[in-house]
């Protein structure tokens, strides 16, 4: 068996200002910049990981949370392997909007089986003292909406950021393994397109 | 996007550089002095003939008239000429090509060479003739390649087709550049996509120069990402040489001001060596390219906001009886917007710096106003600052409120003399993400400053990745059928061209339009007071109008021209100005 290098696309969604870009930057470059501008459209960074002897390139897509950037970001939902729904624990509205983000993602990413898609929920900015969303509330929402794993993170002081991404990767790989069992890959495809004489003209 | 490219659009028939210092005595052969000759396959005898005759004629005429020759018009050809100390350049084109375009092409070529190699004399001392011949050939082919005939006429920047691109993406590009400038070693930058400008902080001339290196690195195969380098193969750099005025212009950007005192050791030294002010009378009288051509001139305020510069630069122009609206609001916000440093509001000092960059100490305490003497059309507040600062801060030798009428541009490539002025080495840093390139002009020690390099690299990487993904997914607009009209709109300030011809393969229907545009552009360049003209043949009429900031050309298709030979109010050509105004509004061109 060869060790395959697979690319996993993970997308961060959530209201503007909850800290999606900061989470990505913290995870990939281990830096925090308090003066980031709004993300316009989408951005992404790659991070190489080794999981169970397999090289994995994690491609983390950071998106613009503001409504006015919607048409720019939605075309890039497609092909995501995991979605990190992000809110800020000091902003109740961003928590309330999680459901909308989930809906938007499922619609534009054209997810075939939404109930099986790996979502992970992040409550960011736990370093802030004035919380508006309690851990219990968030956990309850996650349970009611598909039993999503929930992490309380802080991009500012690096709390739980790596742990959350590790969980995302684990979820995706676990799902792939399950589907790998269903569709064995070491078979011969009988329906391969025959080489025809017309191929030279294409 | 295939540009309209005509087989005969090779602009240059001949080009040579002749070094007179190599041919002094009777026994010296002309060929000794030929540094480079294009086309290279020309027999040496012919090369000698042309070099000898043109150089002789050029010298003779310039000595008799005691002003340098800029153009030699022959029956079928015209030659743009440049003479600097012992060097003699000539670039030959067909007479069809507007004189101003030929001269611009030659200037661009020489300036390109100096940008990448430093002074010509020194380059020929340090490098072999073959090496440099390859470079001349490279620059020449770059300047002639891939552009439409219209673009050649205006020598304009190749920009992305902004009609298909979400303006927010242009904003994104501008913000990436501003974020890079948070590093004090970064002077200015531009972002290019597939050889076209997405956003730039540099003057059009400087942007054009940077684009040559971009195109050469693009054609090279990408090196695989080496594990040893943290930047992989995506980052490259090269030494470039800026003229003192280019550097001054870059350093005048307000965003740099906070840092420049400690980060730019070269800053003040070269300034004193240049002429502090050039006036119109300083320019050669034989030249056909106008010193006041706004296409060549740059206001330092432009970096601040092109919108502001247009109005301020020309607010005193008496020829502008009906003030034209500034060109469509640029999408880049003023530079200070994206800066999130504590000094969000510029201090009076910063304002003084940004509006006063063009005040140079003459060394003996006297000062001169170079440009930007009037910013009244801009923000009133800053203008007030200017006046008060003038009195308070730099009082010596300045009359408060004194204004220089239409002072000369601080920088004009055409009249820069790279052979004479000392050039300042800088570094061009390139970060490529597939078809997207971030090009930054940085202080030379940026490369040895790992922390700065990493900061710039990491702070821009995600955004560049994203911008590349966005731009790649933008589908080029369908070329569509030729509409009922053709137009070309040239923004002289940003040196950009908008036309509904771009992206269309060259064809017969637009030939009359291109020729008429070329002719009208020539006339506009030669006749400063000319504002509107209609040029016509038996089958077509093209309307041209210009202001200090823009030139617009318009042709309406269909409907026979009712031209009886005598003035006739029913002549459809007379309705062209009205139609142009009406039709072009939806293209963002306001001729009202």
């Amino acid at each position: 068996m060869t060790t395959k290098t697979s690319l996993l696309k993970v997308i961060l969604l959530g209201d503007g200002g909850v800290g999606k870009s900061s989470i990505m930057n913290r995870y990939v470059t281990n830096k925090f910049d308090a003066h980031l501008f709004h993300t316009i459209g989408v951005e992404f960074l790659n991070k190489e990981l080794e999981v169970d002897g397999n090289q994995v390139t994690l491609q983390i897509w950071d998106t613009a949370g503001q409504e006015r950037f919607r048409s720019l970001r939605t075309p890039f939902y497609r092909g995501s392997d995991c979605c990190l729904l992000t809110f800020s624990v000091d902003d109740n509205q961003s928590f309330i909007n999680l459901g909308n983000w989930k809906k938007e993602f499922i619609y534009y990413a054209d997810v075939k089986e939404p109930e099986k898609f790996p979502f992970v929920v992040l409550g960011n900015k736990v370093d802030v003292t004035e919380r508006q969303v309690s851990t219990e509330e968030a956990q309850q929402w996650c349970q009611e909406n598909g039993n999503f794993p929930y992490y309380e993170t802080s991009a500012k002081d690096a709390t739980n950021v790596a742990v959350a991404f590790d969980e995302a990767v684990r979820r995706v790989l676990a799902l792939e393994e399950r589907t790998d069992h269903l569709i064995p890959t070491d078979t011969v495809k009988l329906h391969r397109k025959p080489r025809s004489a017309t191929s030279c003209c294409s | 996007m295939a540009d309209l490219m005509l087989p005969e659009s090779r602009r240059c028939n001949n080009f040579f550089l002749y070094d007179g210092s190599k041919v002094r005595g009777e026994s010296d052969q002309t060929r000794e002095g030929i540094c480079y000759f294009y086309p290279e396959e020309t027999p040496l005898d012919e090369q000698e003939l042309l070099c000898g005759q043109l150089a002789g004629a050029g010298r003779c005429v310039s000595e008799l008239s005691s002003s340098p020759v800029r153009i030699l018009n022959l029956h079928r050809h015209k030659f743009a000429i440049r003479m600097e100390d012992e060097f003699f350049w000539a670039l030959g084109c067909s007479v069809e090509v507007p004189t101003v375009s030929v001269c611009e092409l030659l200037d661009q070529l020489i300036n390109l060479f100096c940008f990448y190699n430093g002074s010509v004399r020194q380059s020929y001392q340090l490098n072999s003739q073959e090496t440099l011949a390859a470079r001349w050939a490279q620059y020449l082919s770059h300047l002639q390649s891939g552009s439409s005939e219209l673009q050649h006429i205006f020598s304009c920047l190749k920009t992305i087709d902004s009609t298909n691109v979400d303006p927010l993406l242009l904003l994104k590009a501008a913000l990436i550049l501003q974020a890079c400038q948070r590093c004090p070693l970064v002077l200015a930058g531009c972002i290019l996509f597939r050889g076209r400008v997405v956003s730039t902080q540099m003057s059009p001339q400087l942007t054009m120069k940077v684009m040559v290196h971009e195109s050469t690195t693009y054609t090279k195969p990408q090196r695989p990402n080496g594990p040893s380098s943290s930047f992989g193969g995506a980052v490259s750099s090269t030494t470039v040489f800026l003229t003192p005025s280019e550097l001054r212009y870059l350093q005048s950007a307000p965003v740099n001001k906070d840092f420049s005192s400690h980060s730019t050791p070269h800053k003040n030294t070269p300034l004193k060596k240049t002429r502090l002010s050039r006036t119109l009378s300083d320019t050669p009288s034989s030249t056909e390219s106008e010193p006041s051509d706004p296409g060549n001139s740059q206001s330092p305020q432009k970096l601040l906001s092109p919108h502001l510069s247009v109005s301020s630069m020309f607010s005193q122009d008496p020829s502008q009886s009906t003030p034209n609206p500034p060109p469509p609001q640029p999408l880049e916000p003023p530079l200070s917007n994206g800066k999130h440093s504590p000094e969000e509001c510029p201090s009076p000092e910063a304002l003084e710096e940004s509006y006063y960059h063009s005040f140079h100490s003459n060394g003996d305490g006297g000062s001169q106003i170079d440009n930007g003497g009037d910013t009244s059309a801009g923000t009133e507040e800053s203008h007030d600052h200017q006046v008060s600062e003038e009195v308070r801060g730099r009082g010596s030798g300045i009359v408060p409120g004194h204004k220089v009428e239409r002072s000369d541009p601080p920088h004009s490539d055409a009249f820069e003399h790279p052979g004479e002025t000392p050039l300042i080495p800088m570094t061009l840093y390139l970060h490529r993400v597939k078809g997207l390139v971030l090009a930054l002009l940085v202080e030379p020690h940026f490369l040895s400053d790992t922390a700065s390099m990493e900061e710039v690299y990491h702070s821009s990487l995600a955004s560049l990745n994203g911008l590349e993904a966005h731009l790649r997914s933008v589908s080029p607009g369908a070329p569509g059928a030729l509409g009922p009209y053709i137009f070309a709109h040239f923004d002289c300030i940003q040196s950009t061209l908008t036309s509904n011809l771009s992206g269309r393969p060259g064809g017969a229907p637009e030939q009359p339009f291109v020729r008429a545009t070329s002719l009208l552009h020539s006339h506009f360049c030669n006749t400063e007071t000319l504002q509107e003209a209609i040029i016509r043949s038996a089958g077509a009429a093209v309307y041209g109008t210009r202001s200090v900031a823009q030139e617009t050309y318009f042709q309406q298709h269909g409907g026979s021209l009712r031209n009886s030979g005598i003035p006739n109010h029913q002549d459809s050509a007379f309705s062209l100005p009205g139609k142009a105004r009406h039709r072009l509004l939806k293209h963002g061109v306001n001729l009202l």
Side-chain angles (χ1 to χ4, degrees), chain B residues 143-155:
Chain B
L143 288 176
Q144 296 197 89
S145 69
S147 296
S148 69
E149 204 175 337
L150 273 180
Q151 282 171 324
H152 284 320
I153 292 168
F154 296 104
S155 312

Side-chain angles (χ1 to χ4, degrees), chain B residues 480-532:
Chain B
L482 197 60
Y485 57 91
I486 311 178
F487 81 96
H489 176 75
F490 176 59
D491 180 325
C492 318
I493 307 299
Q494 303 190 69
S495 196
T496 54
L497 184 72
T498 319
S499 168
N500 59 350
L501 273 185
S502 52
R504 185 188 306 283
E510 55 256 25
Q511 258 317 293
F513 176 76
V514 174
R515 285 192 62 198
T517 299
S518 162
L519 261 172
L520 282 169
H521 175 64
S522 250
H523 277 290
F524 282 144
C525 289
N526 294 333
T527 319
E528 222 173 313
T529 47
L530 184 62
Q531 287 194 339
E532 278 186 292

Side-chain angles (χ1 to χ4, degrees), chain A residues 2 9 28 42 44 47 110 114-115 117 119 138 157 173-174 201:
Chain A
T2 53
K9 178 173 173 180
V28 179
V42 295
F44 71 87
K47 189 173 167 92
D110 201 15
E115 60 284 350
F117 191 86
F119 286 96
D157 54 29
L173 292 180
C201 303

Side-chain angles (χ1 to χ4, degrees), chain B residues 12 99 124 147 219 438 495 549:
Chain B
C12 161
T99 299
Y124 274 93
S147 296
T219 49
L438 167 71
S495 196

Side-chain angles (χ1 to χ4, degrees), chain B residues 329-385:
Chain B
Q329 177 63 45
L331 293 151
E332 295 111 334
L335 284 181
S336 49
N337 264 10
K339 204 174 136 216
H340 299 282
S341 44
E343 53 285 326
E344 195 73 60
C345 288
S347 62
E349 283 76 16
L351 271 175
E352 181 202 79
E353 291 265 78
S354 61
Y355 288 95
Y356 268 82
H357 61 275
S358 52
F359 262 41
H360 309 300
S361 168
N362 235 347
D364 53 0
S367 293
Q368 271 180 283
I369 296 167
D370 194 349
N371 194 5
D374 179 23
T375 52
S376 57
T379 50
E380 282 304 323
E381 191 193 321
S382 52
H383 183 61
D384 290 341
H385 268 297

